Amino acid sequence: RQGRYAYDNQPNVALWNLARFAETLLPLLAATTEEAVAIAEEELDRFATVYATAYLDGFRAKLGLAGVAADDASLVEDLLRWMHQASADFTVFFHGLAAVLEGGPTRGLLDAAGVALSAEPGLLHWMSRWQARRAAEDVTDAAAAVRLRSVNPAVVARNHLVEEAIAAAETDGDLEPAGALLAAVAQPFVPPLAEPRYAQAPRPEQLVRQTFCGT
């Protein structure tokens, strides 16, 4: 209910988990509790900076950017904001960026319902910023596409596929769906030819809704 597992809450939850872990280590850090707490707090205070650096570096890689620019944080946050508003599928979108460089503007970028996003004004504006940022690095489209395909998977173990495999195994004793899914995720950067649906965004009726058990 508090959005504990929401994507943008993960830094805070990670820091909370680290703080609980640090509490268990206090007897090992110093002779007195006060000294141990000071050491732990000093380390925990570094988390926000370390996380922010890793976060931006990760998204630079997902966008095919090798260098660092002052506007990178804005480029990333504006994209994520637009993706949320457009219901763009995270995996399909980022994997599709390589296809944009190889085959024309916004080809391969889909929303969560599988609808092409090529006519979205917000996306077109962001794409122009992304292309300008890439141009500043003097990297060819072909080289950038290779870099993008090396970090943006085509296949992830989506909830509805995992649930499908579990149901087949539990209900019918059929392990084939589980085996096929494992084979696909074992090569996540290669679109599966035998099971192309593994690389597709779930349809609205395939979304696994989170439920809560109240007391």
Side-chain angles (χ1 to χ4, degrees), residues 8-9 36 44 48 74 109 118 135 140 146 152 167 174 181 189 209:
D8 62 351
N9 279 345
L44 291 171
S74 172
L109 305 182
S118 57
T140 66
V146 170
N152 293 316
D174 181 6
L181 180 57
F189 300 102
R209 305 296 180 182

Side-chain angles (χ1 to χ4, degrees), residues 91-92 95 152-158 161 180-193 195-200:
T91 300
V92 171
H95 183 75
N152 293 316
V155 180
V156 294
R158 296 181 181 274
L161 298 174
L181 180 57
L182 284 172
V185 297
Q187 300 185 72
F189 300 102
V190 181
L193 299 179
E195 291 281 3
R197 67 192 182 94
Y198 287 171
Q200 297 170 355

Side-chain angles (χ1 to χ4, degrees), residues 47-150:
F47 177 80
T49 300
V50 172
Y51 180 89
T53 299
Y55 177 87
L56 264 184
D57 286 345
F59 270 105
R60 287 188 184 104
K62 292 185 74 64
L63 295 175
L65 305 174
V68 175
D71 197 41
D72 286 349
S74 172
L75 186 70
V76 170
E77 293 307 313
D78 288 349
L79 172 62
L80 294 179
R81 188 178 301 108
W82 173 84
M83 290 177 68
H84 174 70
Q85 293 170 350
S87 297
D89 183 84
F90 194 91
T91 300
V92 171
F93 181 92
F94 281 102
H95 183 75
L97 284 177
V100 171
L101 299 183
E102 295 170 338
T106 67
R107 190 186 73 173
L109 305 182
L110 307 174
D111 68 8
V115 177
L117 297 170
S118 57
E120 286 282 341
L123 175 60
L124 296 177
H125 174 70
W126 182 87
M127 293 290 292
S128 67
R129 292 175 59 195
W130 175 58
Q131 294 286 27
R133 171 67 177 83
R134 284 190 51 255
E137 293 192 337
D138 194 26
V139 177
T140 66
D141 284 356
V146 170
R147 183 182 300 159
L148 285 165
R149 291 196 185 282
S150 71

Side-chain angles (χ1 to χ4, degrees), residues 17-31:
N17 288 335
L18 288 172
R20 304 291 76 73
F21 179 53
E23 289 173 355
T24 71
L25 300 178
L26 292 180
L28 306 177
L29 298 181

